[in-house]
Amino acid sequence: MLTGVGAEALITLAGTPPMVGASDTVLIGHRTEGLDAASAAELVRLPSDLRRIDAPAVVRDAVAAGRQAAAWLAGRGTGVWLHLDLDVLDPESLNAVTYPQPGGLDWDQLADVVAPLARSPRLVGVSVADFRPDPDPTGDQATRVLDLLGRTLP
């Protein structure tokens, strides 16, 4: 939505869209295979100048993916915001999300991607989305999320 794609009532909340240029944004870890029709349609609507590193590329080399994303953002704008949507993880790693789907990252891959972004001196904030405590009655999965944040954020 920040890049001007979405429901008009949402993308205009802060004025004329986009709030953030698509070329100043990196989408990392999105699935490209085995998508349902709605997910495939959503990918098609993304701006063409949005920088992307899909899940298969991250699975192949998470360290390189993180470094590439950090390099793309190094000279852009005045700050970097890291938004971590936990459904990027494979359900084998974390199933306490709204929309678990196979083909995602494991914990180490996610840490490898996040680390170079978290170390950026331009990092101004972090948000974490889509953790559902109801499928995690013991709190073990929540602990894994906190462990990830503890080992990757300064």
Side-chain angles (χ1 to χ4, degrees), residues 7-119:
E8 185 173 351
L10 295 175
I11 66 172
T12 58
L13 281 174
T16 305
M19 291 181 248
V20 177
S23 64
D24 293 329
T25 306
V26 181
L27 176 63
I28 308 168
H30 60 287
R31 283 126 172 123
T32 55
E33 302 166 355
L35 301 175
D36 60 31
S39 297
E42 190 174 311
L43 276 181
V44 171
R45 292 186 351 206
L46 294 175
S48 61
D49 56 341
L50 177 75
R51 296 171 187 258
R52 305 174 200 194
I53 304 171
D54 63 26
V58 178
V59 168
R60 278 191 306 276
D61 192 342
V63 171
R67 288 181 181 156
Q68 178 63 63
W72 279 338
L73 296 172
R76 312 300 271 187
T78 58
V80 172
W81 187 274
L82 175 60
H83 175 76
L84 178 56
D85 195 331
L86 294 173
D87 68 5
V88 73
L89 288 161
D90 192 89
E92 293 290 321
S93 295
L94 178 74
N95 69 353
V97 297
T98 304
Y99 188 54
Q101 47 185 321
L105 312 180
D106 66 28
W107 290 104
D108 290 333
Q109 291 164 328
L110 183 56
D112 287 342
V113 170
V114 168
L117 297 165
R119 286 191 304 264

